[in-house]
Amino acid sequence: MGLSLTVLGCSGSYPGPGQACSSYLVEGGGVRLWVDAGSGSLANLQLHSDLSAVDAVIISHEHPDHYQDIEGFAVGCHYLLRLPPVPIYAPAGLRERMWGPPGAFIWNEISDGDRVMIGGLTVGFSRTDHGPETLAMRFDSDGRALGYSADSGPGWSLEALGEGLDLALCEATYLADREGTLQHLSARQAGVSARSAGAGRLVITHLQPGVDRDSSRIEAEAAFGAPVEVATEGMRIEL
Ligand SMILES: [Zn+2]
Ligand SMILES: [Zn+2]
């Protein structure tokens, strides 16, 4: 049954008008994973999944545009729906930072180089070039592979996730004229990274509100050397 990606939110750093922050559903190997839970994404998650159908949650790092909605998820699942605790995988420190009922999650600490099996899906982690400990991820199921950069500056590359990525989902916070102003990637740098990794396909995400989508796509395509898609809420890709 391969691997699929559904975009729940893709606004970078803070929510845009009517747009949720980074969040994705990754499905494969018989499990449904909620990957990052940025502000606004819990509302969109429920357009695609009952809360009880989330098998595990994975959070890349402790910035609010990637984790904040696990708090509302915990309230809903624990107090109102009275669901059993959900496994959550996150870097050290997030557990202490989040507000929420302690019994909502089963916590699993992850770090650079870890690999975990969740159902029939393998998830590998690589620490990126970003402020707090931030983990990029590689998902493998049924011979298909998806790489997700999380947030990163140019000191890390998708190459660190290994060869054979069918799809790279890479942050592209801004355009090349702002390179170096924050610990993030431009669309050009996302294209370079995906090309170096030999990715079969590139979707750019985490564009900050106001950054032009067409300019980002064109810049990424020039560097990647092939067509590039810009993430939109509700986009679903089957690999
Ligand atoms: Zn971010
Ligand atoms: Zn961040």
Side-chain angles (χ1 to χ4, degrees), residues 186-232:
S186 68
R188 184 193 73 80
Q189 290 168 324
V192 168
S193 184
R195 186 179 182 129
S196 300
R201 186 170 169 182
L202 171 62
V203 173
I204 55 172
T205 188
H206 199 275
L207 278 62
Q208 279 181 342
V211 171
D212 186 70
R213 295 172 59 84
D214 281 341
S215 301
S216 298
R217 178 181 53 76
I218 290 164
E219 193 178 285
E221 285 178 343
F224 184 51
V228 170
E229 295 155 276
V230 183
T232 54

Side-chain angles (χ1 to χ4, degrees), residues 95-117:
R95 181 177 191 170
E96 291 69 39
R97 180 174 287 268
M98 86 161 262
W99 181 90
F105 292 116
I106 300 165
W107 285 87
N108 299 275
E109 200 173 292
I110 46 172
S111 58
D112 184 41
D114 283 353
R115 274 167 71 88
V116 299
M117 281 289 292

